[in-house]
Amino acid sequence: GQQLNQSPQSMFIQEGEDVSMNCTSSSIFNTWLWYKQDPGEGPVLLIALYKAGELTSNGRLTAQFGITRKDSFLNISASIPSDVGIYFCAGQKAPEYGNKLVFGAGTILRVKS
Amino acid sequence: DAGVTQSPTHLIKTRGQHVTLRCSPISGHKSVSWYQQVLGQGPQFIFQYYEKEERGRGNFPDRFSARQFPNYSSELNVNALLLGDSALYLCASSLALDRFSYEQYFGPGTRLTVT
């Protein structure tokens, strides 16, 4: 089952608002990645984080690798309608634990009507 | 450059049948991973292959098997299909397995429906 806890499960956005979501784990990860998935498509890589404390931006997106290596957050500034979708965090443990990504259950972003 | 490609896009099978799903990685990528995504959940790891060798296996029954070919493309096989195997099957490729080559890029997936 899932080992990463993502919150919130879903949220409504209004154009121009800033959005925050986070991901926590009971165990340490070496790498954190954030993906976005649109309906009927595969996840698209947004940001990869490799070092505890690292803060990385990709356009309006900013993500941080928590210093405990057990959490990460993603911020979206000045949201636009195309930001709607499902956002997943994923973690990779040290190589001795196997080369796989562990995913959270996702945060669903919807447009506020 | 082409991204990860998967075939078929959709598939409907009956319980007890077997299925083969195919994946071609991004050109130059040597590792392929397979994930199962059930509706409403994040992807679950099934297999990883690198240089034609299995490098990781998730918690899936032996009905699931995979292989990687010399051109780095891959097949996922599922035997004796169950209703619970209905899901989106995603293939992801990465350059290599060392930490900084590990970013995984996903294909569009194959939607499998078992009736």
Side-chain angles (χ1 to χ4, degrees):
Chain A
Q2 304 289 359
Q3 297 178 38
L4 301 184
N5 299 306
Q6 263 188 267
S7 64
Q9 283 185 316
S10 67
M11 59 192 309
F12 287 89
I13 60 171
Q14 197 152 32
E15 189 168 353
E17 284 183 340
D18 294 346
V19 170
S20 289
M21 61 191 78
N22 66 70
C23 199
T24 60
S25 170
S26 57
S27 55
I28 288 172
F29 285 90
N30 258 15
T31 304
W32 285 91
L33 303 101
W34 285 90
Y35 288 86
K36 178 176 183 266
Q37 187 174 29
D38 291 327
E41 298 183 15
V44 174
L45 180 63
L46 299 173
I47 292 179
L49 302 157
Y50 296 102
K51 191 175 169 184
E54 178 183 353
L55 188 72
T56 297
S57 292
N58 178 10
R60 295 179 295 105
L61 277 60
T62 301
Q64 185 159 29
F65 190 146
I67 56 172
T68 65
R69 297 201 282 157
K70 293 182 179 181
D71 62 334
S72 177
F73 73 74
L74 176 71
N75 284 344
I76 305 173
S77 62
S79 58
I80 59 178
S82 62
D83 290 334
V84 163
I86 306 176
Y87 290 79
F88 290 100
C89 62
Q92 183 208 355
K93 296 191 174 183
E96 56 265 32
Y97 291 98
N99 290 302
K100 65 176 184 180
L101 290 181
V102 178
F103 281 82
T107 292
I108 303 172
L109 243 57
R110 297 186 175 99
V111 175
K112 197 181 293 183
S113 57
Chain B
D1 282 344
V4 177
T5 59
Q6 292 186 244
S7 63
T9 306
H10 296 87
L11 204 51
I12 299 175
K13 290 285 189 177
T14 305
R15 274 176 297 177
Q17 287 186 316
H18 72 271
V19 68
T20 298
L21 310 181
R22 295 179 175 83
C23 170
S24 291
I26 292 170
S27 177
H29 284 197
K30 297 183 178 181
S31 177
V32 167
S33 299
W34 287 95
Y35 292 82
Q36 181 195 64
Q37 187 177 25
V38 173
L39 200 62
Q41 296 184 19
Q44 294 280 328
F45 174 76
I46 309 175
F47 284 111
Q48 183 181 66
Y49 278 79
Y50 177 68
E51 292 281 15
K52 295 168 286 179
E53 289 189 5
E54 183 182 303
R55 292 301 191 99
R57 185 183 183 114
N59 189 23
F60 281 80
D62 291 343
R63 300 184 295 108
F64 288 76
S65 64
R67 55 180 175 167
Q68 186 177 33
F69 299 100
N71 66 354
Y72 303 111
S73 67
S74 177
E75 282 184 354
L76 175 70
N77 294 286
V78 187
N79 293 324
L81 285 166
L82 303 174
L83 294 179
D85 294 332
S86 295
L88 181 67
Y89 287 85
L90 294 162
C91 173
S93 77
S94 62
L95 198 56
L97 295 186
D98 62 273
R99 192 176 170 199
F100 295 96
S101 302
Y102 194 68
E103 294 172 9
Q104 293 194 3
Y105 297 87
F106 284 84
T110 293
R111 171 72 62 190
L112 173 65
T113 302
V114 182
T115 63

